[in-house]
Amino acid sequence: MSAGDPNASLETLAGADDSLLELVDHLLNQGVVLTGDVILGLAGVDLIYARLSLLLCAADRLLPREGPP
Amino acid sequence: MSGGLYVYGLVGKSVEEPLGQGLADETLRLVGAGPVWAITGELPEPPRHDPASLRAHDAVVRRLAASVPALLPARFGQSLPDEPSLTGWLAAHARELGEALERVAGCVQMTLRVFAGPDAPEGELPPEEPAPAAGGPGARYLDRRRRDLEREQALPGIAPLRDALRPLLRGERIERATAPGRLRATVYDLIRGDAAGDYSRIVQETVPGLPGWRVAASGPWPPYAFAPRAVA
């Protein structure tokens, strides 16, 4: 996208994975903490690492890839 | 294993029941004894650490935030074993929590993810303020730290966007990205609840004039980023 394209610089996260990224950051990284010992049920997905992966994926989707076409 | 008293958020004492259902369809109720109360649910087991539970928790918090004057969202997964432990915790932190509730009353949060391309102009940092003449070594050190932090959070590359949004802000938190990569910072903005449309319009109008920078906007959110963090 060119710099003159009015949509070139702005992306609003709207996809399912993007919204999960935002949920992970807001709900797991923000908010009032009453106790350091968070008791959670077991799940198949480690969301801490998923958060990092989603951050990287979000960045890749928003920016053009570098390198030869 | 019981989930204990699962906390969704903190509110002022003027809030009344009924409050509807929680993420496990449990009946929500207020627990507290002073100026700050907790909206809680008794869960049969701890919530699962998965996307469905996160979405369910967020849906409950959003509904509650829209129905009360002020709400401090709790982080996902916060449980205390019983009422005495929760009321004791609330009493111990009542002042700080009360101040935070006043701050977020009637407000929502907007979140900006700021990415820089390889050629993104960084802009100029604001001029460094002269050190104050008065004060001892400790005071001068703290003042220097404050000024360094303000300059670090200036994000001069997107200064036109931040200047345009400033009249809407009731509060702001900036987190610089610590890992290498194009994500430079996350900006959490606290705005009046009816200003979300203006906020989005300003972002859409201003960002195209910042070549090389990418901004991903989301919101409105309940004020997750403006809940006190180090209260445990």
Side-chain angles (χ1 to χ4, degrees):
Chain A
M1 294 183 190
S2 67
D5 185 339
N7 297 316
S9 303
L10 173 64
E11 298 281 352
T12 300
L13 298 178
D17 289 344
D18 301 330
S19 64
L20 176 59
L21 163 67
E22 293 294 335
L23 277 177
V24 167
D25 178 54
H26 288 89
L27 274 66
L28 296 183
N29 196 36
Q30 316 290 342
V32 179
V33 176
L34 287 77
T35 172
D37 298 324
V38 178
I39 302 173
L40 297 172
L42 295 176
V45 176
D46 185 339
L47 279 178
I48 301 301
Y49 293 103
R51 172 186 179 229
L52 296 175
S53 298
L54 287 169
L55 271 174
L56 294 173
C57 289
D60 285 342
R61 275 197 296 275
L62 290 174
L63 295 171
R65 294 189 180 277
E66 295 177 346
Chain B
M1 180 172 71
S2 169
L5 275 180
Y6 187 75
V7 179
Y8 291 90
L10 306 181
V11 295
K13 63 180 179 179
S14 64
V15 173
E16 297 180 347
E17 297 173 349
L19 296 166
Q21 311 305 114
L23 64 88
D25 206 32
E26 80 279 15
T27 299
L28 299 180
R29 64 187 182 92
L30 291 163
V31 173
V36 181
W37 289 60
I39 298 180
T40 69
E42 290 192 41
L43 300 184
E45 59 183 12
R48 290 186 172 274
H49 202 189
D50 61 24
S53 296
L54 289 179
R55 292 193 174 97
H57 176 105
D58 182 60
V60 172
V61 172
R62 285 179 179 273
R63 178 179 60 76
L64 294 170
S67 64
V68 300
L71 179 139
L72 294 172
R75 189 170 296 190
F76 179 84
Q78 299 295 304
S79 291
L80 288 178
D82 50 40
E83 281 199 32
S85 58
L86 179 52
T87 54
W89 185 90
L90 291 170
H93 303 287
R95 184 184 61 80
E96 181 178 4
L97 295 174
E99 291 173 354
L101 274 172
E102 286 185 18
R103 189 183 189 201
V104 304
C107 293
V108 296
Q109 174 185 312
M110 304 295 289
T111 300
L112 301 176
R113 311 285 180 187
V114 182
F115 300 86
D119 300 322
E122 293 288 347
E124 293 185 6
L125 288 173
E128 192 167 335
E129 297 176 17
R140 290 197 297 272
Y141 170 78
L142 290 174
D143 181 77
R144 176 73 194 198
R145 290 280 295 153
R146 176 189 62 79
R147 288 183 285 118
D148 287 346
L149 181 61
E150 287 177 353
R151 294 187 79 227
E152 179 181 311
Q153 293 190 338
L155 292 174
I158 61 166
L161 173 61
R162 295 191 65 207
D163 289 343
L165 291 172
R166 190 161 289 114
L168 300 181
L169 302 187
R170 297 293 183 85
E172 186 172 63
R173 276 191 48 225
I174 297 176
E175 288 186 358
R176 285 280 196 173
T178 55
R182 295 183 179 181
L183 177 67
R184 290 297 183 87
T186 297
V187 180
Y188 302 102
D189 283 334
L190 187 69
I191 64 172
R192 212 177 57 234
D194 60 1
D198 289 337
Y199 186 100
S200 297
R201 175 183 54 77
I202 290 172
V203 172
Q204 292 185 8
E205 291 176 350
T206 307
V207 170
L210 304 173
W213 290 87
R214 297 288 191 270
V215 176
S218 69
W221 295 88
Y224 282 102
F226 296 91
R229 305 189 91 177
V231 190

